[in-house]
Amino acid sequence: MAQGAEKVRLSLQKENKGWKKWGPYLSERQWGTVREDYSGNGDAWNYITHEMALSKAYRWGEDGIGGFSDNKQHICLSFGFWNHKDKILKERIFGLTNRESNHGEDVKEMYYYLDSTPTHSYTKMLYKYPQQLFPYDKLRQENQRRGKQDPEYEIMDTGVFDNDEYFDIFIEHAKADEEDIMMKVTVFNRGKEEAPITVLPQIMFRNTWSWGYEAFNYKPIMNGISNRLIEVTHRKHGKYNLYLDGADELLFCENETNFKKLYGTANNTAYPKDGINDYIVSGQKSNTVNPNNIGTKAAARFTKTIKGGESFTFRLRFVNHSISEPFGGFEDLFNKRIREADEFYDDLQRDVADSDLRSIQRQSYAGMLWSKQFYYYNVYEWLKGDPAQPGPNQGRKWGRNSGWKHLYAANIISMPDKWEYPWFAAWDLAFHCVPLARVDADFAKRQLEILLREYYMHPNGQIPAYEWNFSDVNPPVHGWATWKVYEIDREQNNGVGDIEFLEKIFHKLLLNFTWWVNQKDDTGNNIFSGGFLGLDNIGVFDRSTPMPFGGKLQQADATGWMAMYTLNMLRISVEIALVHGVYQDMASKFFEHFLHIAGAMESIGGKNSSISLWDEEDQFYYDVIHIPNGQSILLKVRSIVGLIPLFAVEILDPQNLDKLPVFKRRVEWVLANRPDLARLISRWFESGKGENRLLSILRGHRMKMIMKRMLDESEFLSDYGVRALSKYHEENPYKFYINGEVLQVDYTPAEALTDIMGGNSNWRGPIWFPLNYLIFDSLMKFHTYYGEDFMIEYPTNSGNLTTIKEAALAIACRLIDIFKKDSEGRRAVYGQDEKMQKDPNFNDHVLFYEYFHGDNGRGCGASHQTGWTGLVAELIHKTAKEQYSAIEKEPVEIDK
């Protein structure tokens, strides 16, 4: 098949330049972030609130609706709207802070990412804007009234969309060239009556001049000509023209703080950041915009009354040269980019026949590509403060992130969610890269490299977790993601792998692996205690803090993750060794380290210990807590923590081993001379399907026991994937008694009901995509070894025998069913919301939530966390490739 136009564009530039220079790189929430917090007590949510954001210039980035910017966010394009009733313009997405909502921070708007090519040559999103007063107060007051036992109060619950009195606002970008961006805003009045709307395409410079640095003492400028052109001049980028098709007027102010409004002190300008807002909502009566039509923030005002059921389109064009007829041929160019986007996805989705699945997958990719963001954070400057600003509180020197002075981030990074989590998270990012590699392997590879660079990774080898606490510990999945991205890239490159990429990553991962061994195995016995590990409230205790009563926790998940990490490093080193034989020694090192972790998991206290992470009575893995009196206790919580050892599995091809004689001899010597370790894993000398060799912590019996529990619908297996906590605990909550207090873990299939870790995340029963994807991936590896003749019961106690591969694909389909329309046209993700289920203006658009109800698949948590939930795109690809339609076959009876 000939390369399409979008693939050609991707091949022109691997970095975020050229066709990738401009993209949807603005945050959706810059306020309430750690970067913008200069308070004395670290209260980021209240240092800049949603209301303050209207009037305060940001230090580290910009936010906006439908935001587009250059790759360093110097020039920012976004959109504001006004329904002629609200007290403020709709310039940014609204949501509640951690303290305002009964289940933590939560966006309270309806918007969708509908399309994007990887170079952003075409993008499309939808924002739903009520025609009545936006219910800011109602959302705050009702959520503050509710407790943790109550559901969240969402914007759909307020009734503002019930009578279709809202605007559907479609925002589209199409690039005519690398520096020529066409934009359309199409506004549909979904109501029956006509309604006015003001559309405000905005352009601003990120404020780089107010902080007192010599390198940024230059203040760029924009000026307006007539009502059709804004001239943009920036020392770094040169000159641009923003053409407006039929604007009513141009408005200018400065992207600078309104000190008088916020703090009661004198302003530096007569036209601060909120000047355009004040001018519009006052009915053009205030004098808060510059009459000379110059400034660092500008907007074009388009006011239109749209009849019920009709629409109107507003057009603009941003380009780095002059065009005499900027809207000549506009529609033809726009339609050409749309056709090219269709061509790109038609090729990518050639194995996906179902139209609904194609739509889900394409929207999933769109969400991931729209969730790129320019992330800027110089920790050293942030800690010491800026020359032209008041000095920060002295406590900052020893407070949050004070040990990360080397960290200097200024990159386009894939965000978990640009409103709820507008900052990178290390383990989220690793999962993002798997589906991203399918659309843009170069971008995915660069994402994995970023966090390992010397100005991100700590000198001691730790990968920064996330900005609220870079020193927190996420699961070590970077090695796994590196291999998955390498495989996808190799597949798309006719079987030729990027060894240079693998080698570059491998050296940095060695530093991180050593950090884990030195810092998280404090007894030197290969049992790890990572703490939080991203699983929030999964355990009896808050695992981010020291154990109560001086106890010490040894974790099945931390140790399982490290066993997986060793195998990831082994697999990577074997691949590199096929080209550079010297890496055989590294393969041997990780093979032996894996054996020692397997031995440690068998018996924590040594040869004669009676305590193991594996419980023979329950046939399951648990955490162990050691208390000061010398007693060791298994914490028998049946959680996904006990499934994580399943991920420590790798298959090696004997043909490759024959090419690595040094490694092969060492492996055979170790297994022959250390039978105590060899017996703990699937025997090296036993070959499987195609003579493959299996490395796994789980030998045949333990693997079957883990799978039996995992595939049991009364325990882990839901209709929509694998739960984070067994449903067994619904009737049998786990109780831990200590100092007269009872600590309890209940099955909680949706939002969290406890205060452990706060926020809106919950790992006590819901379905999470990242670990479900790892389950799928691991099962597929087991099948590669065991083949078609190895049968398991799926679901447990059903009487239905399948191969491991069929079970894996069936789990994948349950996960896909969260989003796919059922026979009645309903999507599980939308639960009991009838408007979202039945209205085609809602139901055909898909939201990708943070996690999902363990029993009914309803979306929970962050509503736009396409980041790791975007793995559904890869599952759709995998199941389509396998032509999975007859997996749920007639049961094969089991002899009892």
Side-chain angles (χ1 to χ4, degrees), residues 290 476 531 635 746:
N290 193 325
L635 298 175
D746 299 273

Side-chain angles (χ1 to χ4, degrees), residues 105 113 360-361 363-372 413-418 420-421 423-437 447 465-466 473-478 480-481 532-538 561 640 644 647 724 757 760-763 766-776 812 815-816 818-819 847-852 859-876:
E105 71 273 11
Y113 305 119
I360 293 164
Q361 188 183 47
Q363 289 183 63
S364 170
Y365 287 133
M368 302 204 68
L369 294 167
W370 268 93
S371 293
K372 296 179 183 179
I413 303 181
S414 175
M415 296 293 133
D417 178 312
K418 288 207 293 189
E420 303 220 19
Y421 306 113
W423 26 261
F424 71 82
W427 81 306
D428 298 62
L429 184 62
F431 289 109
H432 300 184
C433 290
V434 175
L436 280 171
Q447 291 296 288
Y466 47 87
V473 183
N474 283 172
V477 292
H478 229 74
W480 173 84
F532 166 50
L533 286 178
L535 303 186
D536 292 4
N537 63 349
I538 191 78
W561 286 123
I640 208 160
I644 287 173
F647 306 158
M757 291 302 298
N760 60 2
S761 296
N762 178 30
W763 287 81
I767 295 150
W768 290 79
F769 257 80
L771 297 195
N772 269 266
Y773 189 86
L774 283 170
I775 289 169
F776 169 81
L815 291 160
I816 293 167
I818 292 172
F819 306 101
L847 292 175
F848 300 90
Y849 286 79
E850 184 177 4
Y851 57 98
F852 303 88
C860 305
S863 56
H864 293 78
Q865 196 164 349
T866 322
W868 60 19
T869 300
L871 287 162
V872 69
E874 188 65 7
L875 291 176
I876 291 171

Side-chain angles (χ1 to χ4, degrees), residues 483 486 499 502-503 506 569-588 656-664:
W483 181 253
Y486 174 82
I499 293 294
L502 270 191
E503 195 170 4
F506 183 79
M569 295 295 279
L570 168 62
R571 189 65 190 85
I572 293 170
S573 57
V574 164
E575 187 76 3
I576 302 172
L578 293 171
V579 178
H580 305 296
V582 68
Y583 281 83
Q584 292 182 77
D585 287 344
M586 297 307 301
S588 298
N656 287 339
L657 292 171
D658 289 339
K659 299 174 184 176
L660 304 173
V662 175
F663 173 56
K664 186 176 182 180

Side-chain angles (χ1 to χ4, degrees), residues 738-750:
I738 184 70
N739 296 333
E741 184 181 0
V742 180
L743 302 177
Q744 185 165 312
V745 175
D746 299 273
Y747 173 71
T748 310

Side-chain angles (χ1 to χ4, degrees), residues 18-31:
W19 279 88
K20 295 182 187 177
K21 176 183 175 181
W22 295 88
Y25 304 145
L26 264 66
S27 171
E28 283 167 356
R29 177 177 63 81
Q30 189 69 12
W31 62 272

Side-chain angles (χ1 to χ4, degrees), residues 17 146 453 542 893:
K17 299 177 182 177
R146 296 187 178 197
R453 291 174 180 170
D542 181 349
E893 291 297 325

Side-chain angles (χ1 to χ4, degrees), residues 202-441:
Q202 298 184 351
I203 183 168
M204 72 180 75
F205 300 118
R206 177 167 59 84
N207 189 324
T208 57
W209 58 87
S210 292
W211 320 111
Y213 294 96
E214 184 65 25
F216 296 100
N217 62 1
Y218 165 74
K219 186 175 180 178
I221 192 169
M222 291 182 280
N223 64 285
I225 299 175
S226 170
N227 288 343
R228 64 184 297 271
L229 173 62
I230 297 174
E231 292 184 335
V232 179
T233 304
H234 194 287
R235 178 183 293 174
K236 181 174 178 62
H237 294 275
K239 293 186 177 181
Y240 289 85
N241 293 315
L242 178 61
Y243 294 99
L244 297 313
D245 188 12
D248 297 312
E249 61 179 327
L250 304 183
L251 307 170
F252 290 79
C253 63
E254 302 293 337
N255 187 16
E256 298 186 25
T257 298
N258 189 334
F259 290 99
K260 184 176 180 180
K261 179 185 289 186
L262 295 180
Y263 309 113
T265 58
N267 280 330
N268 296 330
T269 173
Y271 312 106
K273 180 180 177 180
D274 51 16
I276 295 171
N277 172 87
D278 294 352
Y279 176 80
I280 294 292
V281 298
S282 70
Q284 294 89 53
K285 295 176 182 177
S286 72
N287 59 353
T288 56
V289 293
N290 193 325
N292 296 315
N293 277 7
I294 60 173
T296 52
K297 177 181 177 181
R301 180 178 68 84
F302 296 85
T303 297
K304 185 77 174 177
T305 296
I306 303 177
K307 293 181 179 179
E310 296 188 2
S311 67
F312 191 85
T313 298
F314 307 87
R315 305 189 301 177
L316 51 155
R317 187 169 186 171
F318 181 72
V319 59
N320 65 345
H321 57 270
S322 297
I323 304 177
S324 58
E325 295 293 335
F327 298 101
F330 185 93
E331 295 299 331
D332 289 340
L333 274 170
F334 227 102
N335 290 331
K336 182 180 180 182
R337 294 294 178 257
I338 293 173
R339 288 195 302 271
E340 291 168 354
D342 290 341
E343 177 185 52
F344 177 80
Y345 282 108
D346 283 346
D347 179 39
L348 188 70
Q349 299 180 307
R350 56 187 176 275
D351 295 318
V352 184
D354 185 279
S355 60
D356 190 32
L357 289 182
R358 290 171 67 90
S359 176
I360 293 164
Q361 188 183 47
R362 188 159 171 175
Q363 289 183 63
S364 170
Y365 287 133
M368 302 204 68
L369 294 167
W370 268 93
S371 293
K372 296 179 183 179
Q373 179 186 317
F374 173 68
Y375 183 84
Y376 183 35
Y377 189 16
N378 182 331
V379 176
Y380 176 71
E381 288 185 356
W382 179 78
L383 288 169
K384 72 181 179 66
D386 298 314
Q389 300 297 317
N393 184 282
Q394 290 299 302
R396 291 169 70 88
K397 294 180 180 179
W398 303 278
R400 177 179 286 142
N401 295 334
S402 57
W404 292 79
K405 295 182 180 66
H406 70 285
L407 196 147
Y408 186 166
N411 299 94
I412 303 298
I413 303 181
S414 175
M415 296 293 133
D417 178 312
K418 288 207 293 189
W419 194 95
E420 303 220 19
Y421 306 113
W423 26 261
F424 71 82
W427 81 306
D428 298 62
L429 184 62
F431 289 109
H432 300 184
C433 290
V434 175
L436 280 171
R438 191 67 62 184
V439 291
D440 187 353

Side-chain angles (χ1 to χ4, degrees), residues 556-732:
D557 57 335
T559 308
W561 286 123
M562 281 303 290
M564 169 182 158
Y565 199 178
T566 58
L567 291 181
N568 300 149
M569 295 295 279
L570 168 62
R571 189 65 190 85
I572 293 170
S573 57
V574 164
E575 187 76 3
I576 302 172
L578 293 171
V579 178
H580 305 296
V582 68
Y583 281 83
Q584 292 182 77
D585 287 344
M586 297 307 301
S588 298
K589 175 259 184 295
F590 284 107
F591 174 76
E592 293 185 42
H593 204 132
F594 171 72
L595 292 181
H596 287 293
I597 292 176
M601 289 192 75
E602 173 74 7
S603 181
I604 289 174
K607 184 176 180 180
N608 298 316
S609 174
S610 61
I611 291 292
S612 167
L613 296 178
W614 175 262
D615 181 51
E616 287 292 346
E617 181 181 0
D618 287 0
Q619 298 288 290
F620 201 66
Y621 283 106
Y622 296 118
D623 289 343
V624 173
I625 189 165
H626 304 280
I627 56 180
N629 66 6
Q631 186 180 6
S632 297
I633 303 171
L634 280 171
L635 298 175
K636 293 193 174 186
V637 181
R638 297 184 189 176
S639 76
I640 208 160
V641 165
L643 303 182
I644 287 173
L646 186 74
F647 306 158
V649 55
E650 192 52 71
I651 308 297
L652 295 180
D653 184 339
Q655 292 182 354
N656 287 339
L657 292 171
D658 289 339
K659 299 174 184 176
L660 304 173
V662 175
F663 173 56
K664 186 176 182 180
R665 281 198 304 270
R666 181 61 183 170
V667 166
E668 292 176 347
W669 187 93
V670 170
L671 292 178
N673 288 274
R674 288 295 304 272
D676 58 320
L677 297 179
R679 70 177 180 81
L680 298 173
I681 61 170
S682 296
R683 290 297 299 273
W684 182 261
F685 302 105
E686 294 175 357
S687 58
K689 179 184 175 185
E691 302 302 311
N692 289 311
R693 306 293 178 174
L694 176 71
L695 288 172
S696 171
I697 285 177
L698 299 176
R699 290 168 290 160
H701 171 72
R702 289 190 182 180
M703 181 194 70
K704 291 178 181 178
M705 292 300 98
I706 289 286
M707 287 188 185
K708 181 179 180 181
R709 179 154 280 155
M710 182 178 73
L711 301 178
D712 188 337
E713 293 179 313
S714 68
E715 290 221 35
F716 284 100
L717 186 62
S718 161
D719 288 343
Y720 301 99
V722 177
R723 303 175 174 103
L725 187 77
S726 171
K727 196 175 174 67
Y728 166 82
H729 290 302
E730 184 173 40
E731 299 296 331
N732 304 277

